[in-house]
Amino acid sequence: MDITFEQVGYCYQKNSPFETRALQDVSVSLDSGSYTAIIGHTGSGKSTLLQHLNALLTPTEGVVTLGDRVIKAGEKQKGLRDIRKRVGIVFQFPEAQLFEETVEKDICFGPLNFGVSEEDAKARACKVIVEVGLTEEILTRSPFELSGGQMRRVAIAGVLAMDPEVLVLDEPTAGLDPNGRHEIMEMFANLHKSKGLTTVLVTHSMEDAATYAEKVVLMKGGTVEQIATPREAFSNPDKLTELGLSVPDVVHFQRRFEQRFAVTLGKTCLTIDELVGEMVPFLGKGVAGG
């Protein structure tokens, strides 16, 4: 599903003494099947932008187009349930939203509320529990008997059971250890490819943005500061530092290498393998011993 923002603005408590502007003149396109990372410092507008992706918020200025649905500022909106079915959001700590007696009931809750039959909802539960790396036997257990990592996967399965076209990930690895973060991000990458999803990752992790995204949207003060490929976005670490952001560890190491030996590698590297490939010719010339 294609998503476009055209000069979108949003104010909380508009026309009141407490009016607060969160978005200003945001224009960005997210192509169907693409993987986009949205990055920015706290308060940059990421979370407000995210909530427009399934019409939890609607613009106070501009136009948001979600597939064939056009949402214009100032127009009363009806029938948004279909959008919320097509766009699934995995919020931070989604396991906090688990509440049913069994894992199966929790996963089936969303589909049942959208008119899916009980038989089909249970079939979906069997399918998605495997997609998130768990086994069907866990469906009969209470979600509160599971480990934290298992609970998070169950919560994600509940989102996938809605069969969304768009998957929005809001800091999906928050609170996980490095191994858990890698496993979850690889799981989302596999789902993105196998299901042809449009994936939107809102993250503070520059490593995840560099590794998984095809496009990076950099937010600053409620506006879009830059739209670029990860390589373009991370080729200017000074700009990111000014905005209170870091760069991926690989990029940081590359910059230190270049400064230490007064050389310039052929490109900004986003993976260890890329960096090694770029460094080898210089190391072969004895640069490291200089």
Side-chain angles (χ1 to χ4, degrees):
M1 184 169 79
D2 292 335
I3 298 174
T4 60
F5 285 66
E6 300 173 66
Q7 297 180 305
V8 169
Y10 186 80
C11 287
Y12 289 99
Q13 303 185 66
K14 190 173 175 64
N15 299 323
S16 81
F18 305 102
E19 178 175 314
T20 303
R21 177 161 292 281
L23 295 179
Q24 174 71 46
D25 195 27
V26 171
S27 294
V28 64
S29 296
L30 308 177
D31 296 334
S32 180
S34 63
Y35 196 133
T36 302
I38 300 176
I39 63 174
H41 198 267
T42 302
S44 62
K46 301 190 305 297
S47 295
T48 302
L49 181 66
L50 176 155
Q51 292 178 75
H52 281 75
L53 293 173
N54 76 341
L56 284 174
L57 297 177
T58 56
T60 50
E61 297 105 29
V63 180
V64 177
T65 304
L66 305 169
D68 55 5
R69 182 65 184 268
V70 179
I71 301 174
K72 296 181 180 180
E75 291 187 356
K76 200 145 190 168
Q77 301 298 325
K78 295 180 181 179
L80 294 174
R81 279 171 60 87
D82 183 59
I83 289 297
R84 291 165 188 164
K85 177 184 176 183
R86 297 170 69 190
V87 181
I89 298 183
V90 178
F91 289 103
Q92 288 189 49
F93 303 105
E95 59 271 21
Q97 300 171 42
L98 299 174
F99 67 96
E100 282 282 11
E101 298 173 8
T102 67
V103 168
E104 182 181 60
K105 287 184 177 180
D106 227 307
I107 295 173
C108 289
F109 180 81
L112 290 173
N113 274 276
F114 276 81
V116 174
S117 71
E118 184 175 358
E119 181 181 358
D120 286 346
K122 288 183 176 181
R124 290 188 186 191
C126 291
K127 178 183 177 184
V128 297
I129 201 68
V130 174
E131 290 177 344
V132 298
L134 300 175
T135 59
E136 289 187 30
E137 63 85 19
I138 212 169
L139 291 170
T140 59
R141 296 177 60 184
S142 165
F144 306 107
E145 296 175 352
L146 307 179
S147 69
Q150 289 174 323
M151 289 174 71
R152 182 162 301 188
R153 289 173 185 264
V154 167
I156 294 167
V159 175
L160 295 175
M162 297 296 293
D163 198 22
E165 298 172 40
V166 179
L167 190 61
V168 182
L169 310 173
D170 183 13
E171 300 287 355
T173 62
L176 299 178
D177 61 33
N179 187 55
R181 290 200 298 270
H182 176 74
E183 289 180 355
I184 287 288
M185 290 307 300
E186 283 295 303
M187 179 190 75
F188 285 128
N190 291 333
L191 288 168
H192 170 76
K193 293 173 184 175
S194 64
K195 292 177 173 288
L197 296 170
T198 304
T199 303
V200 183
L201 171 67
V202 179
T203 184
H204 282 97
S205 170
M206 300 302 104
E207 272 74 24
D208 288 345
T211 301
Y212 299 103
E214 302 158 356
K215 179 167 67 177
V216 173
V217 177
L218 174 59
M219 301 287 295
K220 174 189 176 184
T223 64
V224 174
E225 179 77 5
Q226 182 184 33
I227 300 173
T229 66
R231 202 177 307 280
E232 291 167 340
F234 296 124
S235 291
N236 191 349
D238 292 339
K239 178 178 181 179
L240 293 173
T241 300
E242 288 174 8
L243 297 176
L245 301 174
S246 61
V247 295
D249 289 341
V250 170
V251 177
H252 179 67
F253 185 85
Q254 176 178 340
R255 292 293 177 260
R256 292 188 62 186
F257 176 84
E258 290 174 329
Q259 292 167 3
R260 170 67 178 82
F261 299 109
V263 298
T264 300
L265 302 188
K267 63 181 179 182
T268 298
C269 300
L270 300 179
T271 68
I272 290 293
D273 288 343
E274 280 188 347
L275 182 57
V276 170
E278 290 292 316
M279 289 172 59
V280 164
F282 293 96
L283 296 174
K285 296 175 183 177
V287 169

